[in-house]
Amino acid sequence: MSQTQAVRRRKQQKVVETEETEELQEVNGELQRVIRRVERIRDEFSEPGMWKKILTSKRVMLSIGILVGFAACTLLLTNPPSSLSLLLEEYDLPTLGAAEVEWKELFSGNSPLVPWNIGRANFDGREFCVGEELSARGLRAKHPVILIPGIISTALENWSTQGEYKAQFRKRYWGGASMVMRAIQNPERWMAALMLDPETGLDPPGVKIRAAQGIDAAQKFIEGYWLWEKILQNLAALNYDTNNLELAAYDWRLSYRNLEIRDGYFSRLKHAIESYKKRQGKKTVMVAHSMGATVALVSVRSFLPSVTNTHRNSIS
């Protein structure tokens, strides 16, 4: 072996030894950090009053309240005392009959609220009965329909692409099971995301929440709690679809002025109405619910006067 090869081999061995040493130091450092973290946790739990602080925290109290409420409902509704029924009747209060039946159904496994039935909770064969009955009378889709939902039925989703909210991109912060999980896991961050800037009335720095779009934006609040779903099903039975039916979702947190400035909501609503009039030659029927009724009224009076003046029969 030449001297050059021997020198090269010794250099390679030194490099390998150096890398191994660095890896061992890194592993040792990580172990030291874990040990310090464990010791810190041990010291915190050994502090006087720590267990009291944990047990009286908001999350623990919420969990205890849910368990106590569930246990109370179980005892009350599975074997209601006869004296309670007499007391309710004496003061003309609603009886527990319906609630008792639903509670027993829940434990029997036939309730739509149990996990294995949630997927088919709203599909028991009766969903389209109203639309089918009207269709049998000869009624069919005639006028295009725009649905304007209320507060609860309008889902809001996260469009933030920076900071701590980036990981929840396109996740719903209002509506859906994901909202419930976020409100329980980190209520402060969830509330901070939904709150608007107190000065501008728009998005706070680093957060962007927008109204979900499309029919799914207000079809249901959470699984098993439908909102517009039954209406959509029966309108579909009358030959309504995405060509003559749409849902005008909006960010219900905003003022009407900011709703137009930031999202162009009323301009888009105007365009949809004019488009239906141009393509189908028929007036558009706006169906509103809850706060959506106020939005529809404001849109007609303040933002859509040109539509109503140009096409007298454009809106119903």
Side-chain angles (χ1 to χ4, degrees), residues 5-269:
Q5 290 177 339
V7 171
R8 186 181 298 118
R9 176 168 294 183
R10 283 196 299 271
K11 288 182 178 180
Q12 291 176 349
Q13 290 177 348
K14 288 182 179 180
V15 170
V16 171
E17 290 174 357
T18 302
E19 291 178 349
E20 291 178 350
T21 303
E22 290 177 351
E23 290 179 358
L24 288 174
Q25 290 176 349
E26 184 177 349
V27 171
N28 184 55
E30 186 65 29
L31 288 174
Q32 292 296 329
R33 284 193 291 271
V34 171
I35 292 172
R36 286 196 296 269
R37 190 177 299 120
V38 172
E39 290 176 348
R40 187 170 61 253
I41 293 173
R42 183 194 61 192
D43 294 339
E44 288 177 355
F45 277 93
S46 63
E47 290 180 5
M50 176 54 66
W51 282 106
K52 181 180 179 181
K53 186 184 296 184
I54 294 174
L55 293 176
T56 56
S57 64
K58 292 181 180 179
R59 293 185 183 181
V60 173
M61 294 300 291
L62 176 62
S63 303
I64 293 174
I66 292 173
L67 292 174
V68 171
F70 188 83
C73 288
T74 303
L75 294 174
L76 185 64
L77 296 177
T78 51
N79 296 295
S82 56
S83 57
L84 179 61
S85 299
L86 293 175
L87 182 65
L88 293 174
E89 291 178 3
E90 180 180 350
Y91 289 95
D92 196 24
L93 296 174
T95 63
L96 298 175
E100 182 182 355
V101 171
E102 290 183 6
W103 196 258
K104 290 181 178 179
E105 230 181 40
L106 177 64
F107 284 97
S108 69
N110 298 321
S111 171
L113 297 179
V114 295
W116 52 87
N117 283 338
I118 283 181
R120 58 176 184 271
N122 298 321
F123 297 95
D124 58 2
R126 297 174 295 171
E127 295 75 31
F128 303 91
C129 62
V130 175
E132 290 171 347
E133 182 181 341
L134 295 175
S135 179
R137 298 180 189 175
L139 298 178
R140 293 291 184 273
K142 182 178 180 180
H143 297 283
V145 172
I146 295 179
L147 306 175
I148 303 180
I151 293 178
I152 290 181
S153 53
T154 305
L156 301 177
E157 58 187 25
N158 173 40
W159 278 81
S160 306
T161 57
Q162 56 182 324
E164 58 185 350
Y165 296 101
K166 182 192 296 186
Q168 288 86 41
F169 181 73
R170 291 298 310 281
K171 301 297 183 182
R172 291 196 172 180
Y173 269 63
W174 182 264
S178 60
M179 175 202 71
V180 179
M181 293 301 298
R182 286 179 181 82
I184 294 175
Q185 291 175 350
N186 197 326
E188 291 81 10
R189 188 167 67 176
W190 175 69
M191 284 296 297
L194 289 177
M195 291 177 65
L196 296 172
D197 188 291
E199 294 184 3
T200 64
L202 297 172
D203 299 307
V207 182
K208 184 187 288 186
I209 302 294
R210 295 291 182 268
Q213 298 300 312
I215 297 295
D216 290 340
Q219 186 171 341
K220 61 185 70 173
F221 184 58
I222 57 175
E223 195 66 52
Y225 179 13
W226 56 267
L227 294 163
W228 290 87
E229 188 174 36
K230 303 302 180 185
I231 296 175
L232 295 169
Q233 289 167 344
N234 287 279
L235 286 175
L238 295 172
N239 204 33
Y240 277 98
D241 55 31
T242 53
N243 292 321
N244 54 4
L245 173 68
E246 66 178 82
L247 188 139
Y250 58 93
D251 190 339
W252 42 265
R253 303 171 303 155
L254 299 178
S255 66
Y256 299 127
R257 180 175 176 273
N258 284 338
L259 196 58
E260 174 63 21
I261 292 174
R262 195 195 73 178
D263 296 343
Y265 177 79
F266 298 104
S267 296
R268 290 188 283 114
L269 186 61

